Coordinates of all heavy atoms in Angstrom, one line a residue:
M23 N -23.7 30.0 -22.5 CA -24.7 30.0 -23.6 C -26.0 29.7 -23.0 O -26.1 28.8 -22.1 CB -24.2 29.0 -24.6 CG -25.1 28.9 -25.8 SD -24.4 28.0 -27.2 CE -24.1 26.5 -26.4
K24 N -27.0 30.4 -23.5 CA -28.4 30.2 -22.9 C -29.1 28.9 -23.4 O -29.6 28.2 -22.6 CB -29.2 31.4 -23.3 CG -28.7 32.7 -22.8 CD -29.5 33.9 -23.3 CE -28.9 35.2 -22.9 NZ -29.5 36.3 -23.5
E25 N -29.0 28.7 -24.7 CA -29.7 27.5 -25.2 C -28.8 26.8 -26.2 O -28.2 27.5 -27.0 CB -31.0 28.0 -25.9 CG -31.9 26.9 -26.5 CD -33.1 27.5 -27.2 OE1 -33.5 28.6 -26.9 OE2 -33.6 26.8 -28.1
T26 N -28.8 25.5 -26.2 CA -27.9 24.8 -27.1 C -28.6 24.3 -28.3 O -27.9 23.8 -29.2 CB -27.1 23.7 -26.4 OG1 -28.0 22.8 -25.8 CG2 -26.2 24.3 -25.3
S27 N -29.9 24.3 -28.4 CA -30.6 23.7 -29.5 C -30.4 24.7 -30.7 O -30.4 25.9 -30.6 CB -32.0 23.5 -29.2 OG -32.7 24.7 -29.0
I28 N -30.3 24.0 -31.9 CA -30.1 24.8 -33.1 C -30.8 24.1 -34.2 O -30.6 22.9 -34.4 CB -28.6 25.1 -33.4 CG1 -28.4 26.0 -34.5 CG2 -27.8 23.8 -33.5 CD1 -26.9 26.5 -34.6
G29 N -31.5 24.8 -35.1 CA -32.2 24.2 -36.2 C -31.2 24.0 -37.4 O -30.1 24.5 -37.4
D30 N -31.7 23.3 -38.4 CA -30.9 23.0 -39.5 C -30.5 24.2 -40.3 O -29.3 24.4 -40.7 CB -31.7 22.0 -40.5 CG -31.8 20.6 -39.9 OD1 -31.1 20.2 -39.0 OD2 -32.7 19.9 -40.4
S31 N -31.4 25.1 -40.5 CA -31.1 26.4 -41.2 C -30.1 27.2 -40.4 O -29.2 27.8 -40.9 CB -32.3 27.2 -41.5 OG -33.2 26.5 -42.4
E32 N -30.3 27.3 -39.1 CA -29.4 28.0 -38.2 C -28.0 27.4 -38.3 O -27.0 28.1 -38.3 CB -29.9 28.0 -36.8 CG -31.1 28.9 -36.6 CD -31.7 28.7 -35.2 OE1 -31.6 27.7 -34.5 OE2 -32.4 29.7 -34.7
Y33 N -27.9 26.1 -38.3 CA -26.6 25.4 -38.4 C -25.9 25.7 -39.7 O -24.7 26.0 -39.8 CB -26.8 23.9 -38.2 CG -25.4 23.2 -38.0 CD1 -24.9 23.1 -36.8 CD2 -24.7 22.7 -39.1 CE1 -23.7 22.5 -36.6 CE2 -23.5 22.1 -38.9 CZ -23.0 22.0 -37.6 OH -21.7 21.4 -37.4
K34 N -26.7 25.8 -40.8 CA -26.1 26.1 -42.1 C -25.6 27.6 -42.1 O -24.5 27.9 -42.6 CB -27.2 26.0 -43.2 CG -27.5 24.6 -43.6 CD -28.6 24.5 -44.6 CE -29.0 23.1 -44.9 NZ -30.1 23.0 -45.9
L35 N -26.3 28.4 -41.4 CA -25.8 29.8 -41.3 C -24.6 29.9 -40.4 O -23.6 30.6 -40.7 CB -26.9 30.7 -40.6 CG -26.6 32.2 -40.4 CD1 -26.2 32.9 -41.7 CD2 -27.8 32.9 -39.8
M36 N -24.5 29.1 -39.3 CA -23.3 29.0 -38.5 C -22.1 28.5 -39.3 O -21.0 29.0 -39.1 CB -23.6 28.1 -37.3 CG -24.4 28.8 -36.2 SD -23.7 30.3 -35.5 CE -22.2 29.7 -34.8
E37 N -22.3 27.6 -40.2 CA -21.2 27.1 -41.0 C -20.6 28.2 -41.8 O -19.3 28.3 -41.9 CB -21.7 26.0 -41.9 CG -22.0 24.7 -41.2 CD -22.4 23.5 -42.1 OE1 -23.1 23.8 -43.0 OE2 -22.0 22.4 -41.8
I38 N -21.4 29.1 -42.3 CA -20.8 30.2 -43.0 C -20.1 31.2 -42.1 O -19.0 31.7 -42.4 CB -21.9 31.0 -43.8 CG1 -22.5 30.0 -44.9 CG2 -21.4 32.2 -44.5 CD1 -23.8 30.6 -45.5
I39 N -20.7 31.4 -40.9 CA -20.1 32.3 -39.9 C -18.8 31.7 -39.5 O -17.8 32.5 -39.4 CB -21.1 32.6 -38.8 CG1 -22.3 33.3 -39.3 CG2 -20.4 33.3 -37.6 CD1 -23.4 33.4 -38.3
W40 N -18.7 30.4 -39.2 CA -17.5 29.8 -38.8 C -16.4 30.0 -39.8 O -15.2 30.2 -39.6 CB -17.7 28.3 -38.5 CG -18.4 28.1 -37.2 CD1 -18.2 28.7 -36.0 CD2 -19.4 27.0 -37.0 NE1 -19.1 28.1 -35.0 CE2 -19.7 27.1 -35.6 CE3 -19.9 26.1 -37.8 CZ2 -20.7 26.3 -35.1 CZ3 -20.9 25.2 -37.2 CH2 -21.2 25.3 -35.9
E41 N -16.8 29.9 -41.1 CA -15.8 29.9 -42.2 C -15.3 31.3 -42.4 O -14.1 31.5 -42.7 CB -16.5 29.4 -43.5 CG -15.6 29.4 -44.7 CD -14.6 28.3 -44.7 OE1 -14.8 27.2 -44.0 OE2 -13.6 28.5 -45.3
Y42 N -16.2 32.3 -42.3 CA -15.8 33.7 -42.7 C -15.7 34.7 -41.6 O -15.5 35.9 -41.8 CB -16.7 34.2 -43.8 CG -16.7 33.4 -45.0 CD1 -17.6 32.4 -45.3 CD2 -15.6 33.5 -45.9 CE1 -17.6 31.6 -46.4 CE2 -15.6 32.8 -47.1 CZ -16.5 31.8 -47.3 OH -16.5 31.0 -48.5
S43 N -15.9 34.3 -40.4 CA -15.9 35.2 -39.2 C -14.6 35.9 -39.0 O -13.5 35.2 -39.2 CB -16.3 34.5 -38.0 OG -16.3 35.3 -36.9
P44 N -14.5 37.2 -38.7 CA -15.7 38.1 -38.6 C -16.1 38.5 -40.0 O -15.3 38.7 -40.9 CB -15.1 39.3 -37.9 CG -13.6 39.3 -38.2 CD -13.3 37.8 -38.4
I45 N -17.5 38.7 -40.1 CA -18.0 39.1 -41.4 C -19.1 40.1 -41.2 O -19.9 40.1 -40.2 CB -18.6 37.8 -42.1 CG1 -19.1 38.1 -43.5 CG2 -19.7 37.1 -41.3 CD1 -19.5 36.9 -44.3
A46 N -19.2 41.1 -42.1 CA -20.2 42.1 -42.1 C -21.6 41.4 -42.3 O -21.7 40.5 -43.2 CB -20.0 43.2 -43.2
S47 N -22.6 41.9 -41.6 CA -23.9 41.3 -41.7 C -24.5 41.4 -43.2 O -25.1 40.5 -43.7 CB -24.9 41.9 -40.7 OG -25.0 43.3 -40.9
G48 N -24.2 42.5 -43.9 CA -24.7 42.7 -45.2 C -24.0 41.7 -46.2 O -24.7 41.1 -47.0
E49 N -22.7 41.5 -46.0 CA -22.0 40.5 -46.8 C -22.5 39.1 -46.5 O -22.7 38.3 -47.4 CB -20.5 40.6 -46.5 CG -19.7 39.7 -47.3 CD -18.2 39.8 -47.0 OE1 -17.8 40.6 -46.2 OE2 -17.4 38.9 -47.6
L50 N -22.8 38.8 -45.3 CA -23.3 37.5 -44.9 C -24.7 37.2 -45.5 O -24.9 36.2 -46.0 CB -23.4 37.4 -43.3 CG -23.9 36.1 -42.8 CD1 -23.1 34.9 -43.2 CD2 -24.0 36.2 -41.3
S51 N -25.5 38.3 -45.5 CA -26.8 38.2 -46.1 C -26.7 37.9 -47.6 O -27.5 37.1 -48.1 CB -27.6 39.5 -45.8 OG -28.8 39.4 -46.5
T52 N -25.8 38.6 -48.3 CA -25.6 38.4 -49.7 C -25.1 36.9 -50.0 O -25.6 36.3 -50.9 CB -24.6 39.4 -50.2 OG1 -25.1 40.7 -50.0 CG2 -24.4 39.2 -51.7
M53 N -24.2 36.5 -49.2 CA -23.7 35.1 -49.3 C -24.8 34.1 -49.2 O -25.0 33.1 -49.9 CB -22.6 34.8 -48.3 CG -21.3 35.5 -48.6 SD -20.0 35.2 -47.4 CE -19.6 33.5 -47.8
C54 N -25.7 34.3 -48.1 CA -26.8 33.4 -47.8 C -27.8 33.3 -49.0 O -28.4 32.3 -49.3 CB -27.4 33.7 -46.5 SG -26.4 33.3 -45.1
E55 N -28.0 34.5 -49.6 CA -28.9 34.5 -50.7 C -28.4 33.8 -51.9 O -29.1 33.0 -52.5 CB -29.2 36.0 -51.1 CG -30.3 36.1 -52.2 CD -30.8 37.5 -52.5 OE1 -30.2 38.4 -51.9 OE2 -31.7 37.6 -53.3
M56 N -27.1 33.9 -52.1 CA -26.4 33.2 -53.2 C -26.4 31.7 -53.0 O -26.6 30.9 -53.9 CB -25.0 33.8 -53.5 CG -25.0 35.2 -54.1 SD -23.4 35.9 -54.1 CE -22.3 34.6 -54.5
I57 N -26.0 31.3 -51.8 CA -25.8 29.9 -51.4 C -27.1 29.2 -51.2 O -27.4 28.1 -51.7 CB -24.9 29.7 -50.2 CG1 -23.5 30.3 -50.5 CG2 -24.8 28.3 -49.7 CD1 -22.6 30.4 -49.3
H58 N -28.0 29.8 -50.4 CA -29.2 29.1 -50.0 C -30.5 29.7 -50.5 O -31.6 29.1 -50.3 CB -29.3 29.1 -48.4 CG -28.2 28.4 -47.8 ND1 -27.9 27.0 -47.9 CD2 -27.2 28.9 -47.0 CE1 -26.9 26.7 -47.2 NE2 -26.4 27.8 -46.6
G59 N -30.5 30.8 -51.1 CA -31.7 31.5 -51.7 C -32.5 32.2 -50.6 O -33.7 32.5 -50.8
W60 N -31.9 32.5 -49.4 CA -32.6 33.1 -48.3 C -32.6 34.6 -48.5 O -31.7 35.2 -48.9 CB -31.9 32.8 -47.0 CG -31.8 31.4 -46.6 CD1 -32.6 30.4 -47.0 CD2 -30.9 30.8 -45.7 NE1 -32.3 29.2 -46.4 CE2 -31.2 29.4 -45.6 CE3 -29.8 31.3 -45.0 CZ2 -30.5 28.5 -44.8 CZ3 -29.1 30.4 -44.2 CH2 -29.4 29.0 -44.1
K61 N -33.7 35.2 -48.2 CA -33.9 36.6 -48.2 C -33.2 37.3 -47.0 O -33.0 36.6 -46.0 CB -35.4 37.0 -48.2 CG -36.2 36.4 -49.3 CD -35.8 37.1 -50.6 CE -36.7 36.5 -51.8 NZ -36.1 36.9 -53.0
K62 N -32.9 38.6 -47.2 CA -32.2 39.3 -46.1 C -33.0 39.2 -44.8 O -32.4 39.0 -43.7 CB -32.1 40.8 -46.6 CG -31.4 41.7 -45.7 CD -31.3 43.1 -46.3 CE -30.5 44.0 -45.4 NZ -30.4 45.4 -46.0
T63 N -34.3 39.4 -44.8 CA -35.1 39.3 -43.6 C -35.0 38.0 -42.9 O -34.9 37.9 -41.7 CB -36.6 39.6 -43.8 OG1 -37.1 38.8 -44.8 CG2 -36.8 41.1 -44.2
T64 N -34.9 36.9 -43.7 CA -34.7 35.6 -43.1 C -33.4 35.4 -42.4 O -33.3 34.9 -41.3 CB -34.8 34.5 -44.2 OG1 -36.1 34.6 -44.9 CG2 -34.6 33.1 -43.7
V65 N -32.3 35.9 -43.0 CA -31.0 35.9 -42.5 C -30.9 36.7 -41.2 O -30.4 36.2 -40.2 CB -29.9 36.4 -43.5 CG1 -28.6 36.4 -42.8 CG2 -29.9 35.5 -44.7
Y66 N -31.5 37.9 -41.2 CA -31.4 38.7 -40.0 C -32.3 38.1 -38.8 O -31.9 38.3 -37.7 CB -31.9 40.1 -40.3 CG -30.8 40.9 -41.1 CD1 -31.2 42.0 -41.9 CD2 -29.5 40.5 -41.1 CE1 -30.2 42.7 -42.6 CE2 -28.5 41.2 -41.8 CZ -28.9 42.3 -42.5 OH -27.9 43.0 -43.2
T67 N -33.4 37.5 -39.2 CA -34.2 36.8 -38.1 C -33.3 35.7 -37.5 O -33.3 35.5 -36.3 CB -35.5 36.2 -38.7 OG1 -36.3 37.3 -39.2 CG2 -36.3 35.4 -37.7
M68 N -32.7 34.9 -38.3 CA -31.8 33.8 -37.8 C -30.7 34.4 -37.0 O -30.3 33.8 -35.9 CB -31.4 32.9 -38.9 CG -32.4 32.0 -39.4 SD -31.8 30.6 -40.5 CE -31.3 31.6 -41.9
L69 N -30.1 35.4 -37.5 CA -29.0 36.1 -36.7 C -29.4 36.5 -35.3 O -28.7 36.3 -34.3 CB -28.4 37.2 -37.5 CG -27.6 36.9 -38.7 CD1 -27.2 38.2 -39.5 CD2 -26.3 36.1 -38.3
K70 N -30.6 37.1 -35.3 CA -31.2 37.5 -34.0 C -31.4 36.4 -33.1 O -31.0 36.4 -31.9 CB -32.5 38.3 -34.2 CG -33.2 38.7 -33.0 CD -32.5 39.8 -32.3 CE -33.4 40.4 -31.1 NZ -32.8 40.2 -29.8
R71 N -31.9 35.3 -33.6 CA -32.1 34.1 -32.7 C -30.8 33.5 -32.3 O -30.7 33.1 -31.1 CB -32.9 33.0 -33.5 CG -34.4 33.3 -33.6 CD -35.2 32.1 -34.0 NE -34.6 31.3 -35.2 CZ -35.2 31.2 -36.4 NH1 -36.3 31.8 -36.6 NH2 -34.6 30.5 -37.3
L72 N -29.8 33.4 -33.2 CA -28.5 32.9 -32.8 C -27.8 33.8 -31.7 O -27.2 33.3 -30.8 CB -27.6 32.8 -34.0 CG -28.0 31.6 -35.0 CD1 -27.2 31.7 -36.3 CD2 -27.8 30.3 -34.3
Q73 N -28.0 35.1 -31.9 CA -27.5 36.0 -30.9 C -28.2 35.9 -29.5 O -27.5 35.8 -28.5 CB -27.6 37.5 -31.4 CG -26.9 38.5 -30.5 CD -26.9 39.9 -31.1 OE1 -27.4 40.1 -32.1 NE2 -26.3 40.8 -30.4
D74 N -29.5 35.7 -29.6 CA -30.3 35.5 -28.3 C -29.9 34.2 -27.6 O -29.9 34.2 -26.4 CB -31.8 35.5 -28.6 CG -32.3 36.9 -29.0 OD1 -31.6 37.9 -28.8 OD2 -33.4 36.9 -29.5
K75 N -29.5 33.2 -28.4 CA -29.1 31.9 -27.8 C -27.7 31.9 -27.4 O -27.2 31.0 -26.7 CB -29.3 30.8 -28.9 CG -30.7 30.5 -29.2 CD -30.8 29.5 -30.3 CE -32.2 29.2 -30.7 NZ -32.3 28.1 -31.7
G76 N -26.9 33.0 -27.7 CA -25.5 33.1 -27.3 C -24.5 32.4 -28.2 O -23.4 32.2 -27.8
F77 N -24.9 32.1 -29.4 CA -24.0 31.5 -30.4 C -23.1 32.5 -31.1 O -22.0 32.2 -31.5 CB -24.8 30.7 -31.5 CG -25.4 29.5 -31.0 CD1 -26.7 29.5 -30.6 CD2 -24.7 28.3 -30.9 CE1 -27.3 28.3 -30.2 CE2 -25.3 27.1 -30.4 CZ -26.6 27.1 -30.0
I78 N -23.6 33.7 -31.3 CA -22.9 34.7 -32.0 C -23.0 36.1 -31.3 O -23.8 36.2 -30.4 CB -23.4 34.9 -33.5 CG1 -24.9 35.4 -33.5 CG2 -23.2 33.6 -34.3 CD1 -25.4 35.9 -34.8
K79 N -22.2 37.0 -31.8 CA -22.4 38.4 -31.3 C -22.3 39.3 -32.6 O -21.7 39.0 -33.6 CB -21.4 38.9 -30.3 CG -20.0 39.1 -30.8 CD -19.1 39.7 -29.7 CE -17.7 39.9 -30.3 NZ -16.9 40.6 -29.3
S80 N -23.1 40.4 -32.5 CA -23.1 41.4 -33.6 C -22.7 42.7 -33.0 O -23.3 43.2 -32.1 CB -24.5 41.5 -34.2 OG -24.6 42.5 -35.2
E81 N -21.6 43.2 -33.5 CA -21.1 44.5 -33.0 C -20.7 45.3 -34.2 O -19.9 44.9 -35.0 CB -19.9 44.2 -32.1 CG -19.4 45.3 -31.3 CD -18.4 44.9 -30.3 OE1 -17.3 44.4 -30.7 OE2 -18.6 45.1 -29.1
K82 N -21.4 46.5 -34.3 CA -21.2 47.4 -35.4 C -21.4 46.7 -36.7 O -20.6 46.8 -37.7 CB -19.8 48.1 -35.3 CG -19.6 48.9 -34.1 CD -18.2 49.5 -34.1 CE -18.1 50.3 -32.8 NZ -16.7 50.9 -32.7
S83 N -22.4 45.9 -36.8 CA -22.8 45.1 -38.0 C -21.8 44.1 -38.4 O -21.8 43.7 -39.6 CB -23.2 46.1 -39.2 OG -24.2 46.9 -38.9
T84 N -20.9 43.7 -37.5 CA -20.0 42.6 -37.8 C -20.3 41.4 -36.9 O -20.5 41.5 -35.7 CB -18.5 43.1 -37.5 OG1 -18.3 44.2 -38.3 CG2 -17.5 42.0 -37.7
I85 N -20.4 40.3 -37.6 CA -20.8 39.1 -36.9 C -19.6 38.2 -36.6 O -18.8 38.0 -37.5 CB -21.8 38.2 -37.8 CG1 -23.0 39.1 -38.3 CG2 -22.3 37.0 -37.1 CD1 -23.9 39.6 -37.2
T86 N -19.5 37.8 -35.4 CA -18.5 36.8 -34.9 C -19.1 35.7 -34.1 O -20.2 36.0 -33.5 CB -17.4 37.5 -34.1 OG1 -18.0 38.2 -33.0 CG2 -16.6 38.5 -34.9
Y87 N -18.5 34.6 -34.1 CA -19.1 33.5 -33.4 C -18.5 33.5 -32.0 O -17.4 33.9 -31.7 CB -18.9 32.1 -34.1 CG -17.5 31.7 -34.2 CD1 -16.8 31.0 -33.3 CD2 -16.8 31.9 -35.4 CE1 -15.5 30.5 -33.4 CE2 -15.5 31.5 -35.6 CZ -14.9 30.8 -34.6 OH -13.6 30.4 -34.8
L88 N -19.4 33.0 -31.0 CA -19.0 32.9 -29.6 C -18.7 31.4 -29.2 O -18.2 31.1 -28.2 CB -20.0 33.5 -28.7 CG -20.3 35.0 -28.9 CD1 -21.5 35.4 -28.1 CD2 -19.0 35.8 -28.6
I89 N -19.2 30.5 -30.1 CA -19.1 29.1 -29.8 C -18.6 28.5 -31.1 O -19.2 28.7 -32.2 CB -20.4 28.4 -29.3 CG1 -20.2 27.0 -29.0 CG2 -21.5 28.7 -30.2 CD1 -21.3 26.3 -28.3
G90 N -17.5 27.7 -31.0 CA -16.9 27.0 -32.2 C -17.7 25.8 -32.6 O -18.5 25.3 -31.9
R91 N -17.4 25.4 -33.8 CA -18.1 24.2 -34.4 C -17.9 23.0 -33.5 O -18.8 22.3 -33.2 CB -17.5 24.0 -35.8 CG -18.1 22.8 -36.5 CD -17.4 22.5 -37.8 NE -16.9 23.7 -38.5 CZ -17.4 24.2 -39.7 NH1 -18.3 23.5 -40.3 NH2 -16.9 25.3 -40.2
N92 N -16.6 22.7 -33.1 CA -16.4 21.5 -32.3 C -17.1 21.5 -31.0 O -17.7 20.5 -30.5 CB -14.9 21.3 -32.0 CG -14.1 21.0 -33.3 OD1 -14.7 20.5 -34.2 ND2 -12.8 21.3 -33.3
E93 N -17.2 22.7 -30.3 CA -17.9 22.8 -29.0 C -19.4 22.6 -29.2 O -20.0 21.9 -28.4 CB -17.6 24.2 -28.5 CG -18.2 24.4 -27.1 CD -18.0 25.7 -26.5 OE1 -17.1 26.5 -27.0 OE2 -18.6 26.1 -25.4
L94 N -19.9 23.1 -30.3 CA -21.4 22.9 -30.5 C -21.7 21.5 -30.8 O -22.6 20.9 -30.3 CB -21.9 23.8 -31.7 CG -23.3 23.6 -32.1 CD1 -24.2 24.0 -30.9 CD2 -23.7 24.5 -33.2
Q95 N -20.8 20.8 -31.7 CA -21.1 19.4 -32.0 C -21.0 18.6 -30.7 O -21.7 17.6 -30.6 CB -20.1 19.0 -33.1 CG -20.4 19.6 -34.4 CD -19.3 19.3 -35.5 OE1 -18.2 19.0 -35.1 NE2 -19.7 19.5 -36.7
K96 N -20.0 18.9 -29.9 CA -19.9 18.1 -28.6 C -21.1 18.3 -27.8 O -21.6 17.3 -27.2 CB -18.6 18.6 -27.9 CG -18.4 17.9 -26.6 CD -17.1 18.4 -25.9 CE -16.9 17.6 -24.6 NZ -17.1 18.4 -23.4
Q97 N -21.6 19.5 -27.6 CA -22.8 19.7 -26.8 C -24.0 19.0 -27.4 O -24.8 18.4 -26.6 CB -23.1 21.2 -26.7 CG -22.1 22.0 -25.8 CD -22.4 23.4 -25.8 OE1 -23.2 24.0 -26.5 NE2 -21.7 24.1 -24.9
Q98 N -24.1 19.1 -28.7 CA -25.3 18.4 -29.3 C -25.2 16.9 -29.2 O -26.2 16.2 -28.9 CB -25.4 18.8 -30.8 CG -25.8 20.2 -31.0 CD -26.0 20.5 -32.5 OE1 -25.2 20.2 -33.3 NE2 -27.1 21.2 -32.8
S99 N -24.0 16.3 -29.2 CA -23.8 14.9 -29.0 C -24.2 14.5 -27.6 O -24.9 13.5 -27.4 CB -22.4 14.5 -29.3 OG -22.0 14.7 -30.7
E100 N -23.7 15.3 -26.7 CA -24.1 15.0 -25.3 C -25.5 15.1 -25.0 O -26.1 14.2 -24.3 CB -23.3 16.0 -24.3 CG -21.8 15.7 -24.3 CD -21.0 16.8 -23.6 OE1 -21.6 17.8 -23.2 OE2 -19.8 16.6 -23.4
E101 N -26.2 16.1 -25.6 CA -27.7 16.2 -25.4 C -28.4 15.0 -26.1 O -29.4 14.6 -25.5 CB -28.1 17.5 -26.1 CG -27.7 18.7 -25.3 CD -28.1 20.0 -26.0 OE1 -28.8 20.0 -27.0 OE2 -27.7 21.1 -25.5
L102 N -27.9 14.6 -27.2 CA -28.5 13.4 -27.9 C -28.5 12.2 -27.0 O -29.5 11.5 -26.8 CB -27.8 13.2 -29.2 CG -28.3 11.9 -29.9 CD1 -29.6 12.1 -30.6 CD2 -27.3 11.5 -31.0
V103 N -27.3 11.9 -26.4 CA -27.1 10.8 -25.6 C -28.0 10.9 -24.3 O -28.6 9.9 -23.9 CB -25.6 10.6 -25.2 CG1 -25.4 9.5 -24.2 CG2 -24.8 10.2 -26.5
E104 N -28.0 12.1 -23.7 CA -28.8 12.3 -22.5 C -30.3 12.1 -22.8 O -31.0 11.5 -22.1 CB -28.5 13.7 -22.0 CG -29.2 14.0 -20.6 CD -28.8 13.1 -19.5 OE1 -27.6 12.7 -19.4 OE2 -29.6 12.7 -18.7
K105 N -30.7 12.8 -23.9 CA -32.2 12.8 -24.2 C -32.7 11.4 -24.6 O -33.7 10.9 -24.1 CB -32.4 13.8 -25.3 CG -33.9 13.9 -25.7 CD -34.1 14.9 -26.8 CE -35.5 14.9 -27.3 NZ -35.6 15.8 -28.4
N106 N -31.9 10.7 -25.4 CA -32.5 9.5 -26.0 C -32.0 8.2 -25.4 O -32.6 7.1 -25.6 CB -32.1 9.4 -27.5 CG -32.8 10.5 -28.3 OD1 -34.0 10.7 -28.2 ND2 -32.0 11.3 -29.1
F107 N -30.9 8.3 -24.6 CA -30.3 7.1 -24.0 C -30.0 7.2 -22.5 O -29.1 6.6 -22.0 CB -29.0 6.7 -24.8 CG -29.2 6.5 -26.2 CD1 -29.0 7.5 -27.2 CD2 -29.7 5.3 -26.7 CE1 -29.2 7.3 -28.5 CE2 -30.0 5.1 -28.1 CZ -29.7 6.1 -29.0
K108 N -30.7 8.2 -21.9 CA -30.6 8.4 -20.5 C -29.1 8.6 -20.0 O -28.7 8.2 -19.0 CB -31.3 7.3 -19.7 CG -32.7 7.2 -20.0 CD -33.4 6.1 -19.2 CE -34.8 6.0 -19.7 NZ -35.5 4.8 -19.2
G109 N -28.3 9.2 -20.9 CA -27.0 9.5 -20.6 C -26.0 8.4 -20.7 O -24.8 8.5 -20.3
S110 N -26.5 7.2 -21.1 CA -25.7 6.0 -21.2 C -25.0 5.9 -22.6 O -25.6 5.6 -23.6 CB -26.5 4.8 -20.9 OG -25.8 3.6 -21.2
L111 N -23.7 6.1 -22.6 CA -22.9 6.0 -23.8 C -23.0 4.5 -24.4 O -23.1 4.3 -25.6 CB -21.5 6.4 -23.6 CG -20.7 6.7 -24.9 CD1 -21.4 7.6 -25.9 CD2 -19.3 7.2 -24.6
P112 N -22.9 3.5 -23.5 CA -23.0 2.1 -24.0 C -24.3 1.8 -24.7 O -24.4 1.1 -25.7 CB -22.8 1.3 -22.7 CG -22.0 2.1 -21.8 CD -22.4 3.5 -22.1
M113 N -25.4 2.4 -24.1 CA -26.7 2.2 -24.8 C -26.7 2.9 -26.1 O -27.3 2.3 -27.1 CB -27.8 2.8 -23.9 CG -28.2 1.9 -22.7 SD -29.5 2.7 -21.7 CE -30.9 2.8 -22.8
F114 N -26.1 4.0 -26.2 CA -26.0 4.7 -27.5 C -25.2 3.9 -28.6 O -25.6 3.8 -29.7 CB -25.3 6.1 -27.3 CG -25.0 6.8 -28.6 CD1 -26.0 7.4 -29.3 CD2 -23.7 6.9 -29.0 CE1 -25.7 8.1 -30.5 CE2 -23.4 7.6 -30.2 CZ -24.4 8.2 -30.9
V115 N -24.1 3.3 -28.1 CA -23.3 2.6 -29.0 C -24.0 1.3 -29.5 O -23.9 0.9 -30.7 CB -21.9 2.2 -28.4 CG1 -21.1 1.2 -29.2 CG2 -21.1 3.5 -28.1
N116 N -24.7 0.7 -28.6 CA -25.5 -0.5 -29.0 C -26.6 -0.2 -30.0 O -26.9 -0.8 -30.8 CB -26.1 -1.2 -27.8 CG -25.1 -2.0 -27.0 OD1 -24.1 -2.4 -27.6 ND2 -25.3 -2.2 -25.7

């Protein structure tokens, strides 16, 4: 994976992808509009970013995830500890 950072909206989109993968991009766009009120262009922009970051793949307009929820959460936790606590888990716990 190229980049592990993910914004709040991207994470919300990933939650839907994790739940329904594989899913057609049009169906995903419709779900996102119903759930979050996002326009089709917004969804496709986020899909492009997630694909560029290596989180998902789009093949024949079908979206599948390349990184699972647990793996992403683990990476984000490790980055948090590294960034804010110099990699020290005891400092994080305190």
Side-chain angles (χ1 to χ4, degrees):
M23 185 166 54
K24 297 174 187 172
E25 181 182 337
T26 57
S27 65
I28 187 169
D30 291 339
S31 295
E32 291 173 331
Y33 192 86
K34 289 177 183 179
L35 181 56
M36 283 300 298
E37 287 181 323
I38 297 170
I39 295 169
W40 286 319
E41 182 74 25
Y42 297 100
S43 181
I45 185 170
S47 57
E49 182 181 355
L50 179 61
S51 176
T52 300
M53 289 178 74
C54 288
E55 185 170 5
M56 290 172 36
I57 295 168
H58 299 294
W60 298 337
K61 301 290 182 195
K62 182 178 182 177
T63 53
T64 301
V65 175
Y66 286 157
T67 298
M68 285 192 290
L69 287 173
K70 175 73 170 116
R71 284 196 313 247
L72 289 170
Q73 186 172 1
D74 290 346
K75 292 177 181 182
F77 289 97
I78 63 168
K79 73 174 182 175
S80 177
E81 193 169 59
K82 297 181 182 175
S83 298
T84 300
I85 308 299
T86 54
Y87 62 87
L88 298 174
I89 181 168
R91 182 186 324 248
N92 292 338
E93 185 179 349
L94 178 59
Q95 290 172 341
K96 180 179 181 248
Q97 288 177 353
Q98 288 184 318
S99 297
E100 289 171 355
E101 287 176 7
L102 174 75
V103 171
E104 184 62 39
K105 179 181 175 182
N106 296 309
F107 302 97
K108 299 178 183 167
S110 171
L111 194 53
M113 283 177 62
F114 172 73
V115 173
N116 284 334

